[in-house]
Amino acid sequence: MDRRKEELEKKRQKLAELRRAREERRALLESQSTQSSSATTNSTTGRDRKAIDDLVALVLGERSSTSAATNSGNHSDRGSDVGSDFSNSRPTSANYGYSTPGTPVQTDGGRLSMLSIASQPTPHYVAELTETQAFIADIPPLEHVVYSKEIQTTDGSLEAPEISEEEIRKQIMEEFEAREKQKIAQLEEEIRKAEQEKKQEEIRDLSEEEAKKIQRTQEFAEFIDTSTKLVERALNEKYDFMKDYTLGIDAESDESSGKHVKFICKFWDEKWCKNRSVTDVNWSLKYPELVVASYNKNPLAPNEPDGIVLVWNEHLLDRPEFVFHSQSDVLSVMFSKFHPNYIIGGTYSGQIVLWDTRAKSLPVLKTPLSAGGHTHPVYSLEMVGTQNAHNLISASTDGFVCSWQLDMLAQPQDYLELLHPAHNKTDEVSVTCVGFPDNETTAFWVGTEEGNVYQANRYDRAGSKAGINQYDVYRGHHGMVTGLNFHPLHGPVDFSDLYLTSSVDWTVKLWRAKTVSKTSSQPTVMSPLYSFEHADDYIYDVKWSPTHPALFGTVDGTGQFDLWNLNADTEEPFVSTQVGSGKALNKLAWDKEGRKTAIGSSDGHVYIYDIGEMANPKPEDWSLLQKNISEMISNQENPTSTK
């Protein structure tokens, strides 16, 4: 226990001695820095450096005992180190309290006596040895690479090749010939294989039974029909391959100029048209080369369909493009204005039938034979409305006008019965033709068997009810009205209130329709503006030109096709043409350009005529027609002033 206390006390003394030595060293360094001068700066710095080194060596115990003993007796005052050796003024290691292990350190009242330490004998230090292991690393020296600016090539690299140019050329040619021989061999092998396969698959002749079996299939018949149509269209193209463009042609000799109607072609098929009459014709608005014609029954062919509809192509003259059948005579036909593939027909039995050019020859839709539709012949069809909202209007001699939607022919959308109390025997009005003004879907005009024309409404409207207007009667014909057509809404002047009618009384009459909003409150008889009385037979149809405001055409029972121009003459036709063999002409239709007309004959022929430059109106034609119509109206109002 006492020994432990002694060791602790020695450690405390050692720590105190270290603190004191550190304070004295700091004070010494500060005094030396203040007393230095410019003359002794270098020597003082060297001595200070040496003193510091000695002090560090003493603290670390690296100075030998001999040097420590030599320096112990050379003490001097702390402040008298100028001009003397600096090492003699430094205390020895004993002054700082260092001793070897086991050497006692004497103190007086907690402080170390400088004199007592100096008088003591010089202590001897014992070195403590330790073992260390050295690791030798063999690091190769860095190799310095030096490049020269000379060309770094091997010797002989620029020398001429050992092989000559001729040998190189010979090698290339040999390689090319070998490659060509390889290609030729591959081709010969492919040809040989193809010949072998051809021999294996040699086509044999069909037997007579096999050929007949193929010919009886539906696919073979359709293929022959389609391919032959294509060939015939190409062969019927009437183009003058020998035409000489270097020759001058007189403008007056052009067939399309002046008062001339040019015959284009006629459509006739021995199988389908023989012993039949054309009952109606119509042009396609989508395909201008297509014309549809309806036919009645052939009394000499009871096994054939009663009604036939043929679609003719101007580029296919010898046979129809499409053939459609009906169980009853087809009296009226038209292309749908808004569905190019639909063809609509009205029959003698009262049915409305719908064919599709993408389907077979039978109708895809038809109305039922019941009281819900027509039960008498349908002589007139009209389509009114727009692309998104349109209706088919049909009228028959039973006095009914029906409105249909093409996708639902099971029953009519509207059902209107036309009655007039002034009729003899019956109140029913027997309708033979219907006409709608352009941009009008509700009010319409009907021609009847007794020769009168009536205005009717599909729905109730302000001032009038649905049905026939009981007060206004357009009276002028003395026989059945065969045709009724309103002036097209075309050009700078609106003539859509004018309409033409044809009749079996050999006349064509021009009327001005009364405004629907101004209905009469008492019976009123409307007279025609003008009557055209040139014909010598029944006039079966009349149609306005779709492009020329004053031009219209008529066909009659003598085979006469007349073109009238109200701006040129109202007494005689502008152009009169004899069509066909003189048989009665039943129907007339203009194409949408107004240049060509399709005429249906009672002998089953359909004739196509081109009226040429007469279809092109002049700018003054509208104003001139307006003037002529005004004169007709004034003459009608003041009949005594005429002539």
Side-chain angles (χ1 to χ4, degrees), residues 391-497:
N391 294 102
L392 174 68
I393 308 299
S394 61
S396 67
T397 55
D398 58 1
F400 287 98
V401 175
C402 296
S403 175
W404 309 86
Q405 285 188 343
L406 295 184
D407 56 352
M408 188 183 67
L409 295 181
Q411 60 182 3
Q413 188 178 16
D414 295 314
Y415 191 77
L416 182 64
E417 185 177 8
L418 302 183
L419 301 174
H420 199 283
H423 269 208
N424 296 327
K425 297 181 181 180
T426 62
D427 293 340
E428 294 179 356
V429 176
S430 182
V431 180
T432 57
C433 51
V434 175
F436 280 83
D438 284 355
N439 297 331
E440 181 62 61
T441 60
T442 301
F444 60 95
W445 278 252
V446 294
T448 60
E449 285 184 351
E450 71 270 13
N452 293 335
V453 177
Y454 298 97
Q455 186 268 323
N457 298 313
R458 293 175 59 195
Y459 311 108
D460 292 338
R461 59 193 304 172
S464 60
K465 295 183 178 180
I468 281 185
N469 183 349
Q470 304 292 332
Y471 298 107
D472 294 335
V473 178
Y474 297 83
R475 186 171 297 165
H477 287 294
H478 301 284
M480 182 181 69
V481 179
T482 57
L484 188 153
N485 185 243
F486 272 87
H487 195 286
L489 185 60
H490 174 73
V493 183
D494 184 5
F495 295 112
S496 61
D497 58 341

Side-chain angles (χ1 to χ4, degrees), residues 255-296:
E255 293 182 353
S256 63
S257 64
K259 299 170 58 175
H260 181 81
V261 175
K262 180 182 178 182
F263 172 74
I264 301 297
C265 62
K266 68 177 179 179
F267 299 121
W268 162 264
D269 185 85
E270 179 72 22
K271 176 182 178 181
W272 298 112
C273 301
K274 187 177 181 180
N275 298 323
R276 296 179 187 267
S277 297
V278 178
T279 57
D280 201 3
V281 290
N282 188 255
W283 288 87
S284 172
L285 298 179
K286 176 70 174 179
Y287 306 106
E289 69 274 11
L290 297 183
V291 181
V292 63
S294 58
Y295 300 81
N296 61 2

Side-chain angles (χ1 to χ4, degrees), residues 10 31 33 69 86 106 186 188 192 248 314 388 435 443 476 499 529 547 596 598 636:
K10 290 179 181 179
S31 62
S33 62
F86 179 77
Q106 297 179 1
Q186 290 179 355
E188 291 178 351
R192 185 180 62 79
E314 289 186 273
N388 298 323
Y499 68 92
L529 293 179
T547 56
K596 291 182 290 187
Q636 183 188 38

Side-chain angles (χ1 to χ4, degrees), residues 192-246:
R192 185 180 62 79
K193 289 182 179 180
E195 290 177 353
Q196 291 180 356
E197 293 177 356
K198 187 176 181 180
K199 290 180 181 179
Q200 294 175 359
E201 299 178 358
E202 185 176 356
I203 300 175
R204 62 182 182 83
D205 295 335
L206 294 175
S207 63
E208 185 176 356
E209 294 181 357
E210 291 175 340
K212 289 182 177 180
K213 184 178 180 181
I214 293 175
Q215 293 173 3
R216 286 193 295 266
T217 59
Q218 183 68 22
E219 292 80 3
F220 182 80
E222 292 178 355
F223 167 75
I224 293 296
D225 183 64
T226 304
S227 58
T228 53
K229 282 180 183 178
L230 297 177
V231 174
E232 289 182 31
R233 289 177 194 169
L235 294 177
N236 286 324
E237 189 68 29
K238 295 181 179 180
Y239 178 76
D240 187 7
F241 295 95
M242 303 297 293
K243 190 172 184 178
D244 189 355
Y245 293 99
T246 61

Side-chain angles (χ1 to χ4, degrees), residues 33-63:
S33 62
T34 55
Q35 295 176 4
S36 61
S37 61
S38 59
T40 59
T41 300
N42 295 333
S43 60
T44 304
T45 303
R47 288 194 297 270
D48 290 344
R49 184 67 180 176
K50 184 177 181 182
I52 291 171
D53 293 338
D54 293 340
L55 181 61
V56 173
L58 289 174
V59 172
L60 296 179
E62 294 178 355
R63 299 293 299 266

